[in-house]
Amino acid sequence: MHPRIEDYALIGDEQTAALVGRDGSVDWLCLPRFDSAACFAAILGDENHGRWRISPTGAGPCTRRAYRQDTLVLDSEWETDEGAVRVTDFMPQREHAPDLIRVVEGLSGRVTVHSTLQLRFDYGSVVPWVRKADGQRVAVAGPDSVWLRSEPAVRTWGKDFRTHSEFTVESGEKVAFVLTWHPSHQSRPPLVDPYEALGSSVEDWQAWAARCRYDGPHRDAVVRSLITLKALTFAPTGGIVAAPTTSLPEELGGVRNWDYRYCWLRDSTLTLGALLSAGYHEEAEAWRDWLLRAVAGDPADLQIMYGLSGERRLPEFELPWLPGFGGSYPVRIGNEAVKQLQLDVYGEVIDSLSLARRSGLPSKPHMWRLQCALMEFLRTAWRQPDEGIWEVRGPRRHFVYSKVMAWVAADRAVRALESEPELVGDLEGWRTMREEVHKEVCKYGFDSERNTFTQSYGSRELDASLLLIPRVGFLPPDDPRVVGTIDAVRAELARDGFLLRRYSDEGVDVDGLPGGEGTFLVCSFWLADALHMTGRTKEARELFERLIGLANDVGLLSEEYDPVARRQLGNFPQAFSHLGLVGTAFNLFGEAHPGGAETTG
């Protein structure tokens, strides 16, 4: 049986990440970066597409597993008839090359452990040439080279294009495996002491987690989400990927399989707000700086997403040799949605830079000029239809959320000029734009018969993004139109009373794609925020409790959840879901959220 998405745990070094299953198999790893080709891709196929399994001989899933307190160091334990053993998996923050370290430790009895390494470069399509060198195994194919060693050395042999090791451990005995990638044209990278690296990794993660200033209920869930967001950060640039995976399906057996190993602008305000709320100003500043570099250029060319270093070209193609997770085909690399027009991203960028300024992050000399350039483009562009926040692959529409975020852009620009008279900008022109957008949205995007805003002008469909209307300050929370929208969205889009779909999809071709999808987890966190803002805090807290209960056994959330099959769906773990968890926790239990609503009064 193919593992479920929630069967995996994450390890990483802030430049790439691996997924480790309950059976001790690393089934996903891209080297050397998040967006590099995978050398383990079994999660999108089977063991023949690359994996590395370490477990007691003949054993199934581990008996229990957990991260060490406030770290990204994973312990998996097996209890067998012969005794008990622990495998500790982690990736130390790199100095030179990326290392995947797996430490096997005997806990009781005498246990035989087997390691099977199947390296398959280029997403499972290339079998490397393996040789012995200096007591190590070296696998080479094209530009990639991987070195494997153990400390102490154990019996290792090759068979059926796999590298096998077998050994026994008694209580207190340890064997550490180190897998190191480096370019094949370079000499062997420096050796890492696995035990020293383990101690340093635990200390570094715990010291980082201790900086979190959230001290409300469910602190463990908040800290785990923040650690996950840190793990999804590409340290050299400060960019944060939406997820470390591609093509984990939104519908099992369906075609809604996308590559999420890039950085989305739609996440920018939520990311800044979460990091600033939790006290991580350094990381917030790095994200803000990545944002400034990525969006620099012609405002008309602003993209919805960029690569880890701000790359603009992310061509989409399919991998025909991979059958997909649970038969969900095609497997896609790259993301064609990069070409879409999504007007909401202008509002999200300007809102993020406004939040950064209000929160005291050091300013950049060109930051205001960039905002002015974006505003000048948006002054006329806001009237266009677009593809909307959810990247529909159907026809463009006048999406209400896109217009609301255009209003946010004008509102934040006006407020900046009003609070800082030394700034130069078109105050009256932007005020006029703000009023025009507001008036048009309330006229064409509101269904007075049902007392709710709608997904797009003239439509009857609803959209969970409408829950953000009070949060961004477009209307105050006590406005009857806001309360009506919250109630309508909850009534029409909810499953199991609390899990929201992104938009209506029954009998309506909204996104131009066949099939359906699961409920979108961040939308349910938005519902909790909206309930809290409208005075229904008890309901909001109950909803929050149910949502964090959907995380897997090590506290991770994917993009979506199937309330019928009771399983996670979509790319995993998902930054958007964990951002929602952190933001809602601060809204319900913490200090005032730096990204809170700004109303026009």
Side-chain angles (χ1 to χ4, degrees), residues 93 129 154 163 184 312 318:
Q93 290 192 19
W129 182 268
V154 297
T163 300
S184 59
R312 289 174 170 265
E318 298 175 3

Side-chain angles (χ1 to χ4, degrees), residues 24 82 175 185 210 236 246 267 282 333 368 395 433 472 508 512 538 554:
E82 290 72 34
V175 174
H185 65 277
T246 180
D267 303 358
E282 213 174 280
I333 302 301
W368 178 247
M433 173 187 160
V472 301
V508 180
K538 183 175 182 294
V554 290

Side-chain angles (χ1 to χ4, degrees), residues 429-508:
W430 296 343
R431 278 178 177 159
T432 299
M433 173 187 160
R434 181 175 68 176
E435 293 168 6
E436 289 176 348
V437 177
H438 200 278
K439 186 180 297 184
E440 183 177 295
V441 169
C442 292
K443 182 177 181 180
Y444 297 111
F446 184 75
D447 184 340
S448 57
E449 181 183 328
R450 293 186 295 158
N451 190 35
T452 180
F453 285 94
T454 58
Q455 183 182 55
S456 60
Y457 288 177
S459 74
R460 290 185 59 82
E461 284 71 49
L462 300 183
D463 193 303
S465 63
L466 301 170
L467 295 170
L468 297 174
I469 284 176
R471 180 169 179 166
V472 301
F474 184 81
L475 287 172
D478 58 358
D479 189 292
R481 293 168 292 184
V482 168
V483 176
T485 299
I486 295 169
D487 292 341
V489 166
R490 191 180 192 183
E492 294 192 20
L493 300 185
R495 293 288 181 269
D496 277 10
F498 75 108
L499 291 166
L500 293 189
R501 292 171 294 153
R502 292 185 291 178
Y503 41 76
S504 309
D505 59 6
E506 295 179 358
V508 180

